[in-house]
Amino acid sequence: MQTAQVSGSSTAFIIFGVTGDLTQRKLIPALYELNRTGRLPQPFCVIGFARRDWDDAEMQRNMQAAVVQFARNQPVDAAALQTLLKSMHYVRASFDDGTGYQSLCSLFADLKIENRLYYLATPPEAYPTIIKRLGDAQLEQCTSGWTRVVIEKPYGTNLASAQALDKAVHGVFQEDQVYRIDHYLGKETVQNILVFRFANGIFDPLWNRHHVDHIQITVSETVGVGSRAGYYETAGVIRDIFQNHLLQLLTLTAMETPVAFNADAVRNEKVKVLQSLRPLNGQDVLNNTYRAQYMAGTIDGKRIPGYKEEVGVNPDSTTETYLAARLFVDNWRWAGVPIYIRSGKALPVRATEISIQFKQVPLSLFNWRNLAGDAPNVLAISIQPHEGITLTFGAKAPGPINTIEPVSMNFDYVKTFASEPPEAYERLILDSLVGDATLFTRSDEVLAAWKYTTAILDGWAAQPVSHLPVYEAGTWGPPGADDFIGREGRAWRQLGP
Ligand SMILES: NC(=O)c1ccc[n+]([C@@H]2O[C@H](COP(=O)([O-])OP(=O)(O)OC[C@H]3O[C@@H](n4cnc5c(N)ncnc54)[C@H](OP(=O)(O)O)[C@@H]3O)[C@@H](O)[C@H]2O)c1
C-alpha cells in the first residue's frame, strides 16, 4: 500500500454520519490502522458530523471503543490510537442545518485545513442535502488544497434516481472530485484479477470465446435479512448485490487491457463492458433471470426464520432473496459466452467466487473412467472468505486402472504472503486521500450499471408474479435454480466444504 504523506499541508477527514454503524465498524478502525502504519498524511484530523448530543470528548470515547472492538490487529497500539483520537473534533448538527456547515468553516480556519475529504456515511437520502449545503457554504473547494467527496453505496435505486443524484453531485463537485465507493473493489483478490490477467502473459490468449465455455460469478451469504428487512424489502438481491458488486466483478473479469494502469484508462474499459451487455427487454428478462425467496431452515445448526417471518416484510412480498441471471457481453472477445450470475441470502456457505470454465478438449482421446467430468479445466478466483486462485485440471490417478481425476493448483493469499489481506476500507480510504480513483466507480459506469439493471426491474414490473418459488434456508435455492442453468447442459459450481 502506498502512503499519503505527500503534501505537508493539513488534511481533514470529515465523516458525515460519524455516530453510525459504518463509521464505527469500518472507517475509524481503518483510519487507526493507516495511522498505526504511518500512512496518513500529516497534519491530519478527523471531524465527525451528526445530530447526536456528543462533543469532542464523547466522540473520542466512542471512537476509542470502536477501535478496541474492531481493529483487525490486536492488541491495539495505544500511541497510534491516542494520536488519532487527539485529532478528532465533533460538529453537532442536522444535515439540513446551515449552522453545522458554518461550524465546519470555523474549524477549517482554526485548524488551517487545506485538504478536505468529505465522507458521506449517511442514509442515502441525505446525500443531496449534504452536497447542496456544502455548495451553499462554498465548501466544495479550497484555493490552497484539494477537496474530495466519498459517496457510499447505494448510489440511487434505479437509473432515474441515480441520474438525479448525479445531477445534484455535479451541481457542486467536479467529477474528478467524486469517489463512489464499492468496498468490493478494495479487496485484494479483486485487484488481483487485474494483476493475474494483465501481469501474466499466459492467460490472455485463453481469455476469450475460443477457449472459455462460460463464466459463473457467485456471491452467496449465509445470513438472512435479519434487522435489515425494512431496507431489503425495497432492494432485493438486484439492488443490494447485483447492480454494484456483481456487475463490478463482471467488468474486471471481462474488460479489455487498459492503455495504462490509471483511473481513467481502467474505468474506460470497465464502462465498455457494461455498455456491451446485451440489453434485456420484455420476455427476455423472464427468460434470463430466476428469482426465489427463502423459507425457514437451518444453517450451521442455527434456525433462520423465513423471509416472510421477518419484521418489516410484507406477507405478500415478491422481493427476491435469490437471483440467478444469464448475461452476454456482446463484443468480439465474449460473443456467445454465457455469464451466469447467482446471489442469495440464507444459502449454505458464505462465498464470493468467479469461475472461468474452459471448453472441453476437441476430441476425447482417453477412453478411461473420467472423474473430472466433461469440463475439467476451471479457474476459480475466490474473493471471500478465503482469498485465492485455484486452477483445476484432470490428472491420471496412480494405479493400473486408468482413471482421470480432477486435481488442482492453489494460490492461497494468507499462506503465500503469511498475512491477512488488509481491510478493503484501508485501501480505499488511502486511495481517496492520495487522489487515486482507479478503484472507485465513475459516473458513466454507475449509470451504465443502472441502465442494465433498471431494464430488468422494468421487465419484472411489467410481468408481475403473485409469489416467487421458495427454498429452504441453508440450501442452494429451489430446484428451478438448477434447471435455470441446467437447460443449457451446465451446472452450478459446488462451493463450500
Ligand atoms: N453499515 C455498513 O456496514 C455499511 C456497509 C456498506 C455501505 N453502507 C452505507 O453507509 C451508509 C451509512 O450506513 P450506516 O449503517 O452507518 O448507517 P447508520 O448506522 O444508520 O448511521 C447513519 C448516520 O447518519 C446520521 N444522520 C442520519 N440523519 C441525519 C441528519 N438528518 N442529520 C445529521 N445526522 C444524521 C446518524 O446520526 P445520528 O442519528 O446520531 O444523528 C448516523 O451517524 C449508508 O448509505 C449505507 O448504505 C453501510
Side-chain angles (χ1 to χ4, degrees):
M1 243 194 283
Q2 48 199 334
T3 170
Q5 290 183 332
V6 283
S7 63
S9 49
S10 306
T11 303
F13 192 94
I14 304 106
I15 305 178
F16 289 91
V18 77
T19 57
D21 176 70
L22 180 72
T23 302
Q24 303 194 40
R25 277 195 314 110
K26 297 291 181 187
L27 304 187
I28 294 294
L31 285 172
Y32 156 76
E33 187 61 26
L34 292 173
N35 194 40
R36 189 184 74 80
T37 47
R39 291 197 161 95
L40 288 180
Q42 298 298 331
F44 184 82
C45 72
V46 181
I47 301 175
F49 193 123
R51 282 172 303 203
R52 212 165 294 181
D53 187 11
W54 284 5
D55 55 14
D56 293 357
E58 187 62 25
M59 173 171 159
Q60 289 162 10
R61 268 193 293 279
N62 279 276
M63 298 307 133
Q64 177 169 20
V67 171
V68 168
Q69 186 177 358
F70 296 114
R72 71 183 171 91
N73 283 305
Q74 298 282 353
V76 165
D77 177 332
L81 176 57
Q82 279 313 312
T83 53
L84 187 67
L85 293 176
K86 274 197 200 139
S87 81
M88 291 184 179
H89 304 268
Y90 184 68
V91 172
R92 182 189 174 203
S94 177
F95 295 145
D96 56 4
D97 177 358
T99 59
Y101 301 83
Q102 285 162 17
S103 304
L104 269 186
C105 285
S106 308
L107 264 177
F108 291 158
D110 293 350
L111 300 169
K112 299 191 173 48
I113 297 298
E114 291 168 290
N115 305 319
R116 306 156 184 171
L117 192 141
Y118 301 116
Y119 198 114
L120 307 194
T122 72
E125 309 79 62
Y127 301 159
T129 306
I130 298 169
I131 286 162
K132 178 165 185 318
R133 289 289 185 175
L134 285 171
D136 291 348
Q138 297 185 321
L139 288 172
E140 80 284 12
Q141 56 184 341
C142 178
T143 44
S144 57
W146 51 257
T147 303
R148 300 180 189 129
V149 59
V150 178
I151 305 179
E152 265 293 342
K153 80 164 195 119
Y155 196 86
T157 55
N158 56 21
L159 180 59
S161 61
Q163 284 169 326
L165 176 56
D166 230 29
K167 197 168 166 208
V169 170
H170 290 153
V172 175
F173 292 100
Q174 304 291 320
E175 176 60 24
D176 64 6
Q177 296 178 283
V178 184
Y179 290 66
R180 296 171 194 80
I181 197 164
D182 181 336
H183 69 271
Y184 257 53
L185 296 189
K187 289 179 183 290
E188 288 287 311
T189 322
V190 173
Q191 297 158 51
N192 235 334
I193 300 171
L194 297 182
V195 175
F196 183 79
R197 290 191 55 199
F198 302 130
N200 298 291
I202 61 172
F203 301 110
D204 188 61
L206 303 175
W207 212 262
N208 56 48
R209 69 182 189 284
H210 300 299
H211 299 283
V212 175
D213 177 74
H214 73 283
I215 296 173
Q216 293 187 21
I217 307 179
T218 300
V219 176
S220 64
E221 300 179 275
T222 48
V223 291
V225 294
S227 59
R228 294 176 73 225
Y231 151 76
Y232 205 84
E233 262 292 85
T234 60
V237 182
I238 189 138
R239 291 185 173 93
D240 193 40
I241 302 283
F242 178 88
Q243 183 274 337
N244 38 67
H245 306 324
L246 276 169
L247 289 184
Q248 285 296 320
L249 295 178
L250 169 61
T251 58
L252 295 168
T253 308
M255 68 188 267
E256 296 297 322
T257 317
V259 294
F261 191 67
N262 63 42
D264 269 332
V266 170
R267 296 186 300 178
N268 286 345
E269 299 307 328
K270 290 171 67 195
V271 172
K272 285 185 207 161
V273 174
L274 295 167
Q275 291 169 340
S276 306
L277 283 171
R278 187 183 299 172
L280 294 179
N281 296 304
Q283 187 60 31
D284 291 345
V285 174
L286 298 190
N287 291 344
N288 289 283
T289 60
Y290 178 83
R291 292 166 286 167
Q293 216 172 52
Y294 67 86
M295 301 182 300
T298 304
I299 300 177
D300 294 334
K302 210 175 130 208
R303 184 184 182 274
I304 304 270
Y307 180 63
K308 285 186 179 162
E309 294 170 42
E310 298 283 9
V311 178
V313 174
N314 179 343
D316 298 322
S317 171
T318 54
T319 298
E320 76 289 349
T321 64
Y322 176 97
L323 173 64
R326 188 181 72 142
L327 286 63
F328 285 97
V329 176
D330 281 343
N331 63 17
W332 278 37
R333 185 184 286 271
W334 296 116
V337 177
I339 298 168
Y340 297 98
I341 277 176
R342 68 176 159 166
S343 178
K345 290 206 167 282
L347 298 180
V349 293
R350 174 172 170 256
T352 298
E353 190 203 78
I354 301 165
S355 72
I356 315 293
Q357 314 236 354
F358 292 94
K359 289 186 174 172
Q360 297 181 43
V361 291
L363 193 68
S364 179
L365 192 61
F366 301 101
N367 189 17
W368 297 356
R369 205 157 75 102
N370 187 350
L371 302 177
D374 291 337
N377 299 132
V378 178
L379 181 85
I381 302 172
S382 173
I383 314 284
Q384 65 181 16
H386 306 295
E387 304 200 36
I389 299 175
T390 302
L391 178 65
T392 310
F393 54 95
K396 181 187 176 302
I401 299 171
N402 287 332
T403 304
I404 298 174
E405 274 199 25
V407 294
S408 57
M409 291 194 293
N410 290 318
F411 155 62
D412 180 305
Y413 188 101
V414 174
K415 277 192 196 145
T416 304
F417 294 115
S419 70
E420 289 287 335
E423 258 288 316
Y425 275 98
E426 290 167 30
R427 169 64 193 249
L428 295 173
I429 286 175
L430 191 60
D431 282 2
S432 61
L433 286 168
V434 297
D436 182 351
T438 309
L439 300 176
F440 294 82
T441 321
R442 205 169 56 189
S443 167
D444 52 352
E445 198 179 346
V446 79
L447 295 182
W450 269 124
K451 186 175 175 197
Y452 184 77
T453 307
T454 302
I456 297 178
L457 287 164
D458 289 348
W460 289 346
Q463 300 161 89
V465 291
S466 58
H467 62 278
L468 294 179
V470 290
Y471 60 101
E472 192 180 325
T475 67
W476 281 108
D482 292 332
D483 298 343
F484 178 80
I485 189 168
R487 68 191 179 194
E488 287 171 328
R490 300 187 175 98
W492 294 114
R493 251 173 77 73
Q494 298 202 346
L495 301 181

